[in-house]
């Protein structure tokens, strides 16, 4: 289950704050090196692991990831201060946006079906008779599963009258919709980046917080500290993630050192208009259905696992791509930073010609804390162009499909349907629609990788429920898309 | 009897460290305790800045008791405790 309010997340944010504090301190390298010792000083309690040394080792690993490096390639003899220095010196962030912290990974017992002690050794033995693979035998009066024969069909689990049979899961493997994370030879989780779609579900799923995003915070702060123009492009899902309203948030972000702030919802308005036109054209050509194309996780799924659906996917660019064009035109020399709810966008940023970096919501939050910025005390500052309620609704499930419908000239012909979260089942469904060349449920398919939409992203701060409510309230105060100014050059 | 006052800190630090989720209480408490308990979201209560202890955020105040690393469950438990005492 996704939980963005766990102790592991709390710990991650604390380290982020400390790294940013260190960065702005008079001795960045030394203060970064001291983080594990500050958080677990001599004689302090050991809340989670076997001893204080392991606690510190894991805190160090987390800090390395937050400095933007892979733990997989990390040399244990290198000091944290050295990593801090290297982060400052690098020209570009590393590829592969995720890393597994070996020391933090529990090396969970392999996923399998297991008969627990609750087995009563009954006479009926329904588990044995239901098993089609002959995997269950009776040893010392109790059922035992032969792992070499078991096909994980779970039939035995369902028939046991004592609920004595359970499925042992490995949370990261279980959460990954594409089988890209699995135990390596040493029993610890490993990500196969050829298969990984960077959806971030493993980050949210691991109860040990062992899967980490590689942060670009230092890269971004370096430009800010150098006095360069750095512009924040805030995703529509940011509404509800921080106290105060979005206009106060704009001021807060500028106080944190950014030169200016753009709403990505403005780009979403361009996406909406273009996608509505594209949809009409496709329907004129009697195409069976069209899927949206704004979700970065979905786009990587198409590229790596679901090529067959490509002909049905909209060619319209993402809101981030459009706002990137708009901002780049206005500020040719600025560094553009996408403020993101999820890790998947890191890959999109890497490929985008205009957007330079990504800072996620957790990282922005840590920046506010480290810089002691009280958002509720900030003045409101409006945006040059007020985005529409349709564009501002992109971050919540059904928001994109309904926006396209609202912007269509023949909105009665638009029959939206939503894939609310990618998992093994919904991917199967998408595969089927692509193979059959038809979708019974509608002709405009919105695909969101995260359940609930972008508000369910791995790096969000608030719960899906509260955040969705905040976005819906903000939408009611925003103008209709037919009344807002759309940047023509981006069409 | 005086109402129990619950103040949820919605300052930046507390919000980022988890009080965003505590906004749930603003809906939940009036439903559960009728008019025995009053709940409100507050701008920074100043508790995190005393000794730079964001590691203990988010904070909630129940009457004058400070609840650190507050969760919905933790806050409800404190409220139950006070109600229990009042009824004795």
């Amino acid at each position: 289950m996704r939980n963005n309010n766990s102790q592991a997340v709390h710990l991650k944010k604390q380290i982020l704050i400390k790294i940013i504090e260190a960065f702005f301190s008079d001795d960045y390298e030394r203060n970064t090196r001291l983080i594990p010792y500050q958080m677990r000083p001599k004689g302090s309690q050991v809340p989670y692991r076997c001893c204080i040394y392991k606690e510190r080792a894991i805190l160090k690993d987390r800090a390395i990831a937050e400095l933007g490096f892979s733990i997989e390639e990390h040399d244990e003899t290198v000091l944290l201060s050295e990593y801090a220095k290297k982060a400052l010196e690098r020209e570009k962030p590393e590829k592969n946006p995720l890393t597994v912290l070996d020391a933090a990974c529990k090396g969970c017992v392999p996923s399998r079906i297991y008969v627990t002690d609750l087995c009563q050794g009954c006479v009926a033995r329904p588990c044995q008779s239901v098993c089609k693979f002959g995997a269950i035998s009776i040893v010392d009066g109790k059922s035992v599963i032969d792992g070499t024969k078991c096909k994980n069909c779970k039939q035995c689990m369902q028939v046991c009258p004592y609920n004595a049979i359970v499925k042992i899961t490995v949370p990261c493997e279980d959460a990954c919709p594409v089988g890209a994370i699995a135990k390596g030879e040493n029993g610890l989780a490993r990500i196969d980046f050829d298969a990984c779609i960077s959806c971030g579900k493993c980050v949210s799923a691991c109860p040990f917080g062992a899967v980490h995003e590689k942060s670009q915070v230092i890269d971004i702060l370096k430009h800010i500290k150098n006095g360069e123009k750095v512009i924040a492009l805030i995703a529509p899902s940011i509404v509800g993630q921080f106290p105060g309203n979005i206009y106060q948030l704009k001021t807060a972000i500028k106080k944190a050192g950014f030169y200016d702030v753009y709403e990505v919802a403005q780009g979403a308005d361009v996406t909406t208009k273009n996608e509505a036109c594209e949809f009409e054209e496709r329907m004129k050509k009697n195409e069976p259905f069209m899927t949206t194309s704004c979700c970065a996780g979905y786009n990587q799924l198409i590229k790596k696992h679901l090529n067959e659906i490509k002909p049905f996917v909209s060619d319209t660019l993402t809101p981030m791509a459009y706002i990137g064009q708009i901002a780049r035109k206005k500020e040719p020399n600025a560094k553009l930073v996408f403020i993101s709810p999820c890790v998947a966008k890191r890959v999109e940023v890497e490929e985008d010609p205009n957007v330079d970096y990504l800072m996620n919501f957790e990282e922005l939050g840590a920046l506010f804390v480290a810089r002691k910025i009280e958002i509720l005390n900030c003045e409101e500052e409006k945006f040059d162009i007020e985005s529409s309620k349709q564009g501002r609704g992109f971050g919540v499930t059904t928001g994109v499909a309904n926006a396209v419908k609202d912007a269509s000239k023949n909105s009665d012909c638009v029959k939206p349907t939503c894939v609310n979260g990618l998992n093994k089942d919904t991917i199967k469904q998408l595969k089927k629609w692509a193979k059959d060349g038809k979708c019974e449920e509608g002709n405009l398919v919105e695909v969101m990788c995260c359940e609930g939409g972008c508000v369910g992203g791995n790096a969000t701060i608030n719960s899906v429920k509260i955040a969705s409510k905040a976005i819906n309230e903000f939408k009611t105060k925003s103008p209709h898309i037919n009344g807002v100014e759309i940047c023509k050059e981006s069409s | 009897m005086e109402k129990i006052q619950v103040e949820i800190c919605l300052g930046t630090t507390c919000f980022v460290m988890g009080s965003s989720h505590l906004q749930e209480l603003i809906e939940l408490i009036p439903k559960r305790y009728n008019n025995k308990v009053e709940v409100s979201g507050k701008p920074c209560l100043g508790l995190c800045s005393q000794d730079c202890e964001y590691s203990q955020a988010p904070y909630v105040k129940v009457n004058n008791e400070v609840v650190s690393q507050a969760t919905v469950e933790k806050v409800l438990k404190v409220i139950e405790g006070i109600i229990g005492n009042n009824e004795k």
Side-chain angles (χ1 to χ4, degrees), chain A residues 4-5 10 13 238-245 249 361 365-366 368-369 373-376 460-463 466-467 470, chain B residues 8-24 26 41-45 48 54 57-59:
Chain A
N4 62 352
N5 194 31
H10 199 275
K13 288 178 192 164
I238 205 165
V239 172
Q241 299 295 325
F242 292 98
N245 61 39
L249 187 63
F361 293 166
F368 287 146
V369 176
I373 294 167
E374 207 47 70
I375 305 169
L376 288 171
T460 52
I461 287 170
N462 214 335
S463 71
I466 301 172
Chain B
I8 302 165
C9 179
L10 297 181
T12 304
T13 300
C14 282
F15 200 96
V16 169
M17 299 310 273
S19 81
S20 52
H21 292 256
L22 299 175
Q23 291 174 99
E24 191 92 19
I26 295 176
K42 292 276 179 211
C44 183
L45 296 170
C48 58
Y54 47 75
Y59 293 101

Side-chain angles (χ1 to χ4, degrees), chain A residues 155-196:
Chain A
Q155 289 282 330
C156 55
M157 281 169 65
Q158 281 149 21
V159 295
C160 175
Y162 298 100
N163 296 320
I165 307 177
V166 295
K167 179 172 188 269
I168 299 178
T169 56
V170 178
C172 60
E173 283 181 17
D174 215 43
C176 180
V178 292
I181 191 164
K183 295 155 107 30
E185 274 171 23
N186 56 3
L188 303 178
R190 272 284 165 274
I191 297 171
D192 171 3
F193 286 103
D194 291 332
C196 174

Side-chain angles (χ1 to χ4, degrees), chain A residues 228-240:
Chain A
E228 294 168 63
K229 272 187 189 173
V230 183
I231 292 176
L233 314 171
I234 52 172
S237 50
I238 205 165
V239 172

Side-chain angles (χ1 to χ4, degrees), chain A residues 286-333:
Chain A
N286 280 323
E287 289 189 22
F289 67 94
M290 181 183 97
T291 86
T292 56
S293 62
C294 50
C295 171
Y298 174 49
N299 286 335
Q300 287 184 68
L301 176 78
I302 299 166
K303 206 164 144 189
K304 293 182 175 175
H305 304 278
L306 200 64
N307 245 306
E308 60 265 43
I309 207 161
K310 191 82 188 90
F312 305 100
V313 180
S314 159
D315 295 319
T316 300
L317 299 183
T318 68
M320 188 197 89
Y322 285 124
I323 197 69
Q325 291 176 5
I326 294 166
R328 178 57 70 224
K329 212 175 161 200
K330 237 178 135 183
E331 297 288 349
N333 301 317

Side-chain angles (χ1 to χ4, degrees), chain A residues 186-231:
Chain A
N186 56 3
L188 303 178
R190 272 284 165 274
I191 297 171
D192 171 3
F193 286 103
D194 291 332
C196 174
I197 59 170
S198 317
C199 65
K201 289 182 197 284
C202 54
V203 179
S204 305
C206 176
F208 287 86
V211 192
H212 230 288
E213 274 189 67
K214 281 152 63 183
S215 177
Q216 303 170 4
V217 159
I218 295 299
D219 308 68
I220 298 163
L221 293 179
K222 183 174 76 181
H223 292 295
I224 288 181
K225 207 175 186 180
N226 289 346
E228 294 168 63
K229 272 187 189 173
V230 183
I231 292 176

Side-chain angles (χ1 to χ4, degrees), chain B residues 4-74:
Chain B
I4 299 169
Q5 298 291 334
V6 177
E7 297 170 290
I8 302 165
C9 179
L10 297 181
T12 304
T13 300
C14 282
F15 200 96
V16 169
M17 299 310 273
S19 81
S20 52
H21 292 256
L22 299 175
Q23 291 174 99
E24 191 92 19
L25 288 167
I26 295 176
E27 263 183 51
L28 188 81
I29 284 179
K31 269 188 219 153
R32 188 175 291 197
Y33 301 106
N34 210 351
N35 38 26
K36 276 190 200 157
V37 185
E38 210 157 71
V39 60
S40 56
K42 292 276 179 211
C44 183
L45 296 170
L47 295 161
C48 58
S49 56
Q50 281 168 1
D51 44 2
C52 267
E53 267 311 313
Y54 47 75
S55 65
Q56 295 303 308
Y59 293 101
V60 170
K61 260 185 170 176
V62 182
N63 283 345
N64 277 320
E65 186 177 338
V66 174
V67 185
S68 58
Q69 285 201 309
T71 59
V72 169
E73 295 72 26
K74 236 175 165 175

